[in-house]
Amino acid sequence: MSNNIAYTPLHQTDSNESSSSREYGSSSQLGDHVAWLLRFFRRSRVAMLIVPVALLGALGLAHVFVGQAKVSESGLDTATRNYPLVAHDSSRYLNGAAMNSFRENLKKDAKYVTAWNYAGLTNDFMVHCNIIYLGMISSRIPIIPPFVPLSQHIGNGGFLQDFSEFFDLPGLRAALNHPILEWSQVKKAPYAGNTANLKDVVEEPLGCWSNWELIGPNGDIVYTELAPFLSLDVSYTPTPEYIGLTGKPGYHTSLWGLVSILYPDGRAKALRQKESVPSVGASQNQALLPDDQLACFDVLYFSGVREEWEWERDYSPVWNLVAKYARFTQKVEDVSMFYLRKVFNVGRNEDVPPFISMHIRRTDFIIACGPEATPETCFLPLSAYSDQVKKIQSDLLALHGPKSPLSKVTHVFVASDEKNNEWWGSIRQQGWYFIDHGSENIAEVHGSWYPSLIDAYILARGAGFVGTRQSTMSLVAARRVQDWNGGPTRMAQSR
């Protein structure tokens, strides 16, 4: 990134170590495997039988890791459905630019997967990463929906925005070596309120799987703004009970369980379940079984590989294999750095001082405290967060040693959804820094998504991080600080 904070991430590698020697599946690593096999079997009496087999296996690995597979028009290896290493150009997976019909734009020899959004910028981001992960493990091409504005998070007047508006999608494709599409590439829709050239857009029926009917509190269907936005008339078929992470209905579905119903045998088994009866679409009065070419799900937020709320775990497959490679766009970085420099009173050519970032979630969290709760009785006092800041300062000293600038970090940046000006005055009294999004007119100047985006970007730049437990914005910020900066993180426990 540009405008780097003056400290070195813990995960930085030795500059003398070549990238090829660290790359999984590189030709040099493959050679090491072959040499090890030869040494191991050299003294064996059955070496003449085993070594040729081992070498053939190694050559097979070479084809998977470093060879160029024979590809079809869509870019898929038609024999193994592995994606070739150069297949990052998304145009290879569609018949053209966005069309009036999504069906006309899909390649006949390719399969896709998508899902709808769920409750705000961070939650939508998590859903997007779950879609991408599901695409990777099912050999399907993920189609990412746009971010859907919620008035309680970004105010009124926001437009649906592409993932690539906020995150570096070309870089993510390259990092994952997997194609990723957006709905705006597939089908025309009124993005940014623009309804021009939409008169010929087709309302299309689509059969989808419903996780919400399985895990939702009332067993009903979740509404999504994306269906009418994309001119889709959706029928839903509930996923089978055994897709739950526990093997029975629960609060989360298994991502690998969902993979099983995307293949012929698992799909047939799922549709034999007595509960797998599709609902009727809203406008065309059709009850469609789940589409096979474009698999879709209503909710993927409540999904995991091994356990519920898996993003909180350090082993989280979706975080480690997908989400941590999703970096912000240059535009988000430039806008955010402008306001960060202004807050810290730092010139354009000066280094931003190391700082501890902090996210304090309030507002709607009061619901968990009951109908009689007040902010004073429900939310933690600032002293609880101040205690966590001191612990992070001690962590930084232990990590970097007394001679490092990071052992003496005093700047603290705070982001919060709190609207009360008196509360923000108490933040100022602590000597902590924050952006007054209202007085800066950030939403008016940059769009209603940018107050949240700027906060998310700056939180991710912290040398250390303090967050609010059970807040997904805090959770994702903590993971970014840990993996991007090698920084310590702590969570303040809600009352």
Side-chain angles (χ1 to χ4, degrees):
M1 290 185 182
S2 60
N3 302 317
N4 284 331
I5 296 174
Y7 61 89
T8 303
L10 291 181
H11 300 316
Q12 180 172 313
T13 56
D14 187 341
S15 60
N16 292 325
E17 184 181 5
S18 69
S19 59
S20 62
S21 66
R22 298 190 304 274
E23 182 183 357
Y24 182 72
S26 67
S27 56
S28 61
Q29 187 179 42
L30 180 64
D32 292 341
H33 293 328
V34 174
W36 180 86
L37 286 168
L38 289 171
R39 288 196 302 271
F40 183 82
F41 290 116
R42 182 172 295 162
R43 296 183 180 181
S44 172
R45 292 183 179 180
V46 294
M48 293 300 292
L49 294 176
I50 297 179
V51 170
V53 174
L55 288 175
L56 286 172
L59 290 174
L61 289 174
H63 172 76
V64 173
F65 289 147
V66 299
Q68 292 296 316
K70 180 180 180 180
V71 297
S72 65
E73 181 184 6
S74 69
L76 292 171
D77 177 345
T78 54
T80 65
R81 298 197 66 80
N82 288 323
Y83 296 98
L85 301 180
V86 296
H88 302 141
D89 181 3
S90 59
S91 66
R92 300 179 63 170
Y93 308 100
L94 295 170
N95 290 321
M99 296 184 179
N100 294 319
S101 163
F102 81 83
R103 189 73 65 187
E104 293 179 1
N105 210 355
L106 303 184
K107 294 283 189 180
K108 292 183 178 180
D109 62 342
K111 292 191 175 183
Y112 306 80
V113 63
T114 193
W116 313 138
N117 297 64
Y118 188 83
L121 178 67
T122 303
N123 289 6
D124 281 358
F125 171 77
M126 296 168 73
V127 169
H128 293 158
C129 294
N130 281 345
I131 297 171
I132 295 169
Y133 181 80
L134 186 58
M136 292 169 64
I137 62 178
S138 64
S139 294
R140 287 176 176 257
I141 302 167
I143 303 178
I144 304 302
F147 287 100
V148 176
L150 296 178
S151 59
Q152 63 266 40
H153 289 164
I154 68 169
N156 296 317
F159 292 113
L160 283 78
Q161 294 284 354
D162 277 339
F163 182 90
S164 59
E165 287 289 319
F166 305 149
F167 295 94
D168 178 9
L169 186 52
L172 182 60
R173 291 184 184 116
L176 303 183
N177 188 35
H178 197 91
I180 303 170
L181 299 174
E182 296 182 281
W183 265 104
S184 62
Q185 299 174 274
V186 179
K187 186 175 183 179
K188 295 178 181 178
Y191 287 92
N194 184 4
T195 59
N197 302 318
L198 298 181
K199 63 182 180 65
D200 295 324
V201 169
V202 179
E203 183 181 60
E204 298 172 276
L206 178 64
C208 293
W209 292 101
S210 173
N211 287 327
W212 194 248
E213 289 187 67
L214 175 67
I215 65 176
N218 301 315
D220 54 3
I221 298 172
V222 64
Y223 172 77
T224 175
E225 295 179 26
L226 287 171
F229 179 80
L230 296 168
S231 299
L232 300 174
D233 185 29
V234 183
S235 300
Y236 291 103
T237 299
T239 49
E241 292 185 355
Y242 57 80
I243 295 302
L245 271 177
T246 59
K248 58 184 179 180
Y251 202 30
H252 282 63
T253 54
S254 163
L255 286 168
W256 276 99
L258 297 179
V259 168
S260 73
I261 65 176
L262 299 184
Y263 284 86
D265 290 347
R267 174 185 170 86
K269 177 183 177 183
L271 293 177
R272 286 196 299 268
Q273 303 299 305
K274 62 181 180 180
E275 70 272 16
S276 295
V277 178
S279 63
V280 176
S283 61
Q284 298 190 19
N285 200 31
Q286 297 185 61
L288 299 178
L289 291 175
D291 199 89
D292 183 44
Q293 183 181 25
L294 174 55
C296 59
F297 297 89
D298 57 354
V299 175
L300 278 186
Y301 176 74
F302 300 100
S303 297
V305 173
R306 184 177 178 272
E307 58 184 313
E308 297 179 352
W309 309 118
E310 203 165 58
W311 279 62
E312 298 178 359
R313 307 301 184 189
D314 57 1
Y315 75 86
S316 167
V318 178
W319 169 261
N320 285 297
L321 298 178
V322 178
K324 76 176 182 181
Y325 298 105
R327 299 287 184 143
F328 293 99
T329 62
Q330 189 64 52
K331 179 182 177 181
V332 171
E333 178 176 343
D334 290 344
V335 172
S336 301
M337 288 304 300
F338 171 83
Y339 290 103
L340 181 60
R341 290 179 179 280
K342 188 173 182 179
V343 163
F344 285 161
N345 195 26
V346 172
R348 183 176 181 84
N349 297 320
E350 298 178 79
D351 289 333
V352 172
F355 62 93
I356 294 169
S357 57
M358 183 190 304
H359 176 240
I360 303 177
R361 176 70 178 269
R362 289 168 66 87
T363 60
D364 59 340
F365 268 30
I366 199 171
I367 297 173
C369 295
E372 305 299 324
T374 65
E376 291 73 24
T377 61
C378 181
F379 300 130
L380 291 173
L382 290 184
S383 58
Y385 288 92
S386 180
D387 290 343
Q388 296 299 323
V389 169
K390 293 174 183 175
K391 292 177 181 178
I392 290 292
Q393 289 170 329
S394 297
D395 293 339
L396 289 169
L397 173 61
L399 279 170
H400 299 283
K403 294 183 179 180
S404 169
L406 290 178
S407 67
K408 306 174 183 65
V409 176
T410 58
H411 288 71
V412 177
F413 175 85
V414 178
S416 176
D417 57 347
E418 181 58 67
K419 307 300 182 185
N420 186 287
N421 289 330
E422 291 185 7
W423 185 85
W424 282 109
S426 64
I427 293 292
R428 187 177 286 109
Q429 291 174 2
Q430 294 279 342
W432 297 340
Y433 298 83
F434 63 93
I435 296 173
D436 187 337
H437 295 285
S439 64
E440 294 285 356
N441 295 316
I442 288 175
E444 291 76 12
V445 174
H446 301 287
S448 56
W449 288 99
Y450 264 82
S452 296
L453 279 169
I454 291 169
D455 284 346
Y457 175 86
I458 296 175
L459 291 175
R461 284 189 66 96
F465 174 77
V466 175
T468 304
R469 194 171 298 280
Q470 297 181 334
S471 164
T472 54
M473 186 166 185
S474 285
L475 168 63
V476 174
R479 307 244 34 183
R480 287 169 175 154
V481 169
Q482 289 168 347
D483 278 5
W484 293 0
N485 310 334
T489 66
R490 291 179 178 269
M491 293 288 186
Q493 179 66 54
S494 303
R495 286 178 174 173

